[in-house]
Amino acid sequence: MFWTSYALAALALLLAWPVPVLLSRAKWPARSPFTAMVLWQAIALAGGLSMIGAMLTWGLEPLGDNLIDGLQGLWHILVDRAPASTLGLVHVFALSAAALLSVHLVFTLWLTYYRILRGRRRHRDMLNLLSSPSADTPATLVIQHPTPVAYCLPGGARSVTVLSDGLLNMLSPQELSAVLTHERAHLVQHHHLLLWAFAAWRAALPWLPTSLLAQRSVNELIEMLADDQALQQVDREVLVRAVAIVGSGTQPSDASSGNPEHRVPAESPMPLGGPDNLEPLSTAGRLSRLLTPRPPLPYYLRVGILVLATLLLAVPTTLLVAPGLLD
């Protein structure tokens, strides 16, 4: 398993720095956000598996020629009290690091979920006091506030979309439909689960700059996906007006009149990922993408990227299951 550990370490380094940086700077994800989202998930999973696998195979190298034999040898040492003379200090350190990192990642995932769930419960309690059900739209709550606000609050069967009456007064029925479709797309496509996973990755590895890049990129991609879902039901011009109104806090004519009193910044919050969630894609970025639409990537490129994402997961898995391929 000697060369296997080095191969996994090299893959972990690639997925920890240059690959996420290049992907975060690429322009093509805006053309095919679903494909980019799959690739980001593959990078995160393969990177974590490679980091743990590299330390695990290095630590087990003296105990067997493959992962199963190595784990059996470690079991005999821990349970049957077999002699551990073959294990050096560096191997014990590698095994300890692999175990600690695994526990740390799982615990951080659970802790992030607990914090998000607690934040949502508090948010829902406040909504119960400050909001009222919409008379026209099911699973929608209305809060009394002049600032245009629209976001969704996940909760399984209790998921709701929250709107402000200031927003309702500004939007036409078609624009309101665009906003509701956008927000409900977040719930239907379970974007809160993606935000949870990448928020946990950032919390577990805050010293890794690419964890921040990944979380920011995923936040942008889910906004693109929700906009694309809205475009299937409303005209592009309607969605553009709705995004401009929510983002600027004014009717489009007021926003361009130059009167500063009519400009109220109002990036719509979307508490899908809890209080540690990053800002979503800016209004300017969303409008630019909607006003200058570009065709999606060619089919063969999208398939190629999905195959690459599959390989990213298959390579570390194969190296762990069949380390003899390199050794």
Side-chain angles (χ1 to χ4, degrees):
M1 291 189 288
F2 179 79
W3 290 110
T4 299
S5 62
Y6 276 90
L8 289 171
L11 181 60
L13 289 175
L14 287 174
L15 298 179
W17 181 251
V19 172
V21 170
L22 291 175
L23 182 56
S24 66
R25 296 176 179 175
K27 302 299 182 182
W28 68 262
R31 299 172 59 185
S32 299
F34 174 79
T35 305
M37 183 71 77
V38 173
L39 185 56
W40 270 116
Q41 294 178 73
I43 289 173
L45 290 173
L49 187 61
S50 298
M51 280 191 292
I52 296 173
M55 293 180 287
L56 183 62
T57 52
W58 174 262
L60 293 176
E61 192 270 335
L63 301 179
D65 296 329
N66 54 63
L67 185 63
I68 301 300
D69 290 343
L71 290 175
Q72 288 178 345
L74 182 62
W75 176 266
H76 291 315
I77 292 175
L78 296 177
V79 177
D80 300 333
R81 298 184 179 179
S85 56
T86 56
L87 285 179
L89 181 61
V90 65
H91 300 106
V92 174
F93 175 80
L95 290 173
S96 301
L100 289 174
L101 181 58
S102 301
V103 172
H104 175 61
L105 290 176
V106 173
F107 176 75
T108 305
L109 188 67
W110 174 85
L111 183 61
T112 303
Y113 174 76
Y114 171 74
R115 289 175 175 173
I116 290 174
L117 193 62
R118 184 178 60 181
R120 288 179 190 162
R121 287 174 177 170
R122 291 178 178 176
H123 196 103
R124 195 177 298 276
D125 290 340
M126 288 190 295
L127 288 176
N128 291 336
L129 296 174
L130 302 175
S131 67
S132 56
S134 172
D136 304 320
T137 311
T140 302
L141 300 177
V142 179
I143 57 176
Q144 295 183 356
H145 200 282
T147 301
V149 173
Y151 62 89
C152 52
L153 186 65
R158 301 174 60 197
S159 299
V160 293
T161 300
V162 182
L163 307 174
S164 66
D165 56 0
L167 178 68
L168 296 176
N169 294 331
M170 291 183 180
L171 297 181
S172 67
Q174 295 80 9
E175 293 162 355
L176 177 59
S177 176
V179 171
L180 290 173
T181 304
H182 173 97
E183 297 302 335
R184 287 170 181 167
H186 289 308
L187 298 173
V188 172
Q189 298 177 13
H190 302 289
H191 291 162
H192 54 285
L193 298 179
L194 293 171
L195 292 178
W196 164 41
F198 282 90
W201 184 20
R202 183 188 175 196
L205 305 172
W207 45 268
L208 190 64
T210 49
S211 63
L212 176 61
L213 292 177
Q215 192 181 15
R216 181 179 292 119
S217 297
V218 167
N219 279 14
E220 294 177 352
L221 289 173
I222 65 173
E223 291 299 316
M224 297 177 191
L225 288 170
D227 281 341
D228 291 346
Q229 180 67 31
L231 287 175
Q232 296 180 12
Q233 301 187 31
V234 300
D235 292 336
R236 185 177 300 273
E237 294 77 9
V238 173
L239 181 59
V240 167
R241 290 198 304 269
V243 171
I245 290 172
V246 175
S248 65
T250 68
Q251 296 287 349
S253 58
D254 294 335
S256 59
S257 64
N259 185 352
E261 295 180 357
H262 288 234
R263 296 182 179 178
V264 182
E267 290 290 345
S268 57
M270 185 186 62
L272 294 175
D276 296 331
N277 191 20
L278 295 178
E279 287 295 327
L281 182 63
S282 67
T283 300
R286 291 175 64 190
L287 289 175
S288 176
R289 181 174 181 267
L290 292 171
L291 291 171
T292 57
R294 300 179 62 191
L297 290 179
Y299 178 76
Y300 69 91
L301 285 180
R302 282 178 282 158
V303 171
I305 293 172
L306 293 177
V307 170
L308 175 61
T310 303
L311 289 176
L312 283 178
L313 290 174
V315 168
T317 303
T318 302
L319 290 176
L320 285 171
V321 174
L325 292 176
L326 290 182
D327 298 315

